[in-house]
Amino acid sequence: ALLVQLITWVQLVENAFKAVAAAGDDESSSDQPIQESWKVQQGLLLELIKLTQTDLDKPARQKVMCAITLDAHNRDVQERLVRDKVVSAESFQWQSMLKCYWLEDEGDAQMQICDARIWYAYEYLGNGPRLVVTPLTDRIYVTATQALHLSMGCAPAGPAGTGKTESTKDLANALARACYVINAAPEMDYLTLGNIFKGLAASGSWGCFDEFNRLIPEVLSVCTVQFKAVCDALRARSGRFIVQGDEINLDRGVGVFITMNPGYLGRSELPEGLKALFRPITVMVPDFMLIMENMFMSEGFL
């Protein structure tokens, strides 16, 4: 349902862009279709909020709350498009959003953001809550998907409680991929890490290593070689590759994320070779006002 919701929203906005292009140079009504599509989206959101005030069972209520969370973000995106007078689908404000298209020729759904193209994975992840998407989350999505597009890992860094791991998990949810969060500990050795990389590469899952710089330097240096083997295989578009002496099948959907809290005691500095394999993101404190407003809406407050 959320996939169809995202596809129909993208069609709503892009149809408005097409209507603007068809209208030509008529200044008086240049952004009228964009404003109308924004009003349509606001109406749909209000209908969903009213739906939460009815007698729903728990799974249905959870679905509607997820739909409200995502629709509220969609409405805010359209509000920014109207405010910035964006009238083309080629503009960066629209290209930098995570969009979903149904490709008739392939008979499949594809997520598109900037120049990254990622196939929807259809992994069933349960009927759980979704993260409130703030402008910070949008920026993280752009950086993370560009890292995947370039066959690299991604390294969100920032203070505790800013949503580094949760944003990674929510991006995996949006792309319908399984994401396994692994708490890195000084007790982990290179064999453990090697086995994790083998499993992620063979299954096409995502791995998020929390507080990666807690690993000891000796393990981090071997990890560089292991993860480089995965990155090289992705760039070469290989079907199989060798890591730690074993030949493994490669699923191109694999993604590796490492989160770090800088400035804590007992943390190692990452080797330069390992840093080069990860695209860094600095994560700051999110907009709590926007998150609270969204949570109130999903609970039925108009």
Side-chain angles (χ1 to χ4, degrees):
L2 296 179
L3 175 66
V4 174
Q5 180 190 359
L6 185 54
I7 292 171
T8 51
W9 173 67
V10 171
Q11 287 174 345
L12 172 73
V13 178
E14 298 215 333
N15 286 340
F17 287 142
K18 285 174 187 168
V20 170
D25 299 329
D26 185 1
E27 288 292 326
S28 60
S29 61
S30 61
D31 61 348
Q32 192 66 34
I34 311 289
Q35 290 187 18
E36 284 170 7
S37 69
W38 175 37
K39 286 170 186 167
V40 168
Q41 183 62 28
Q42 282 180 307
L44 292 171
L45 181 59
L46 286 172
E47 290 298 320
L48 277 173
I49 295 170
K50 285 172 186 167
L51 190 58
T52 61
Q53 297 167 355
T54 60
D55 186 23
L56 297 170
D57 60 9
K58 198 170 179 181
R61 184 171 293 279
Q62 182 66 68
K63 284 180 195 170
V64 174
M65 284 168 74
C66 284
I68 289 171
T69 300
L70 298 178
D71 258 359
H73 170 250
N74 296 346
R75 179 206 61 187
D76 294 343
V77 169
Q78 286 178 264
E79 187 179 347
R80 284 203 296 276
L81 294 178
V82 170
R83 193 175 62 234
D84 298 343
K85 299 195 182 310
V86 174
V87 291
S88 165
E90 301 304 315
S91 63
F92 182 73
Q93 288 98 318
W94 178 244
Q95 287 294 316
S96 62
M97 293 299 139
L98 188 65
K99 307 175 291 298
C100 189
Y101 295 87
W102 181 261
L103 304 184
E104 292 286 349
D105 301 342
E106 302 284 346
D108 204 352
Q110 190 182 59
M111 309 300 281
Q112 300 184 4
I113 176 167
C114 296
D115 60 348
R117 304 285 181 267
I118 302 168
W119 293 105
Y120 193 75
Y122 300 101
E123 183 80 41
Y124 180 67
L125 303 169
N127 182 21
R130 288 293 296 272
L131 203 64
V132 175
V133 184
T134 63
L136 171 70
T137 322
D138 280 327
R139 286 198 291 276
I140 293 171
Y141 282 2
V142 171
T143 314
T145 48
Q146 285 300 303
L148 294 170
H149 177 59
L150 297 169
S151 304
M152 296 171 73
C154 190
T162 47
K164 300 183 293 293
T165 307
E166 289 304 318
S167 296
T168 301
K169 283 163 62 180
D170 198 66
L171 179 58
N173 268 350
L175 303 175
R177 292 208 173 274
C179 181
Y180 299 99
V181 179
I182 297 136
N183 286 303
E187 293 77 25
M188 289 173 77
D189 61 7
Y190 73 96
L191 293 170
T192 311
L193 277 177
N195 287 335
I196 292 170
F197 284 132
K198 287 176 195 174
L200 294 175
S203 64
S205 308
W206 286 10
C208 180
F209 294 87
D210 248 4
E211 303 199 35
F212 193 67
N213 49 351
R214 286 176 63 196
L215 295 171
I216 58 173
E218 292 86 338
V219 173
L220 287 170
S221 60
V222 180
C223 175
T224 308
V225 180
Q226 293 168 337
F227 185 55
K228 190 172 188 307
V230 179
C231 291
D232 289 346
L234 283 169
R235 289 191 185 112
R237 300 185 173 276
S238 308
R240 291 176 72 77
F241 75 110
I242 293 171
V243 61
Q244 226 176 357
D246 293 330
E247 194 174 352
I248 304 290
N249 280 333
L250 177 67
D251 185 313
R252 294 192 52 75
V254 63
V256 176
F257 295 76
I258 57 174
T259 70
M260 292 177 290
N261 294 338
Y264 280 73
L265 288 173
R267 302 291 194 268
S268 309
E269 182 67 29
L270 294 192
E272 290 300 323
L274 189 57
K275 277 184 190 172
L277 300 175
F278 288 92
R279 173 86 170 76
I281 315 176
T282 304
V283 184
M284 301 312 293
V285 179
D287 182 355
F288 287 114
M289 187 66 107
L290 183 63
I291 293 169
M292 287 188 290
E293 178 192 320
N294 209 308
M295 289 173 79
F296 275 126
M297 276 195 289
S298 61
E299 293 291 351
F301 290 87
L302 287 165

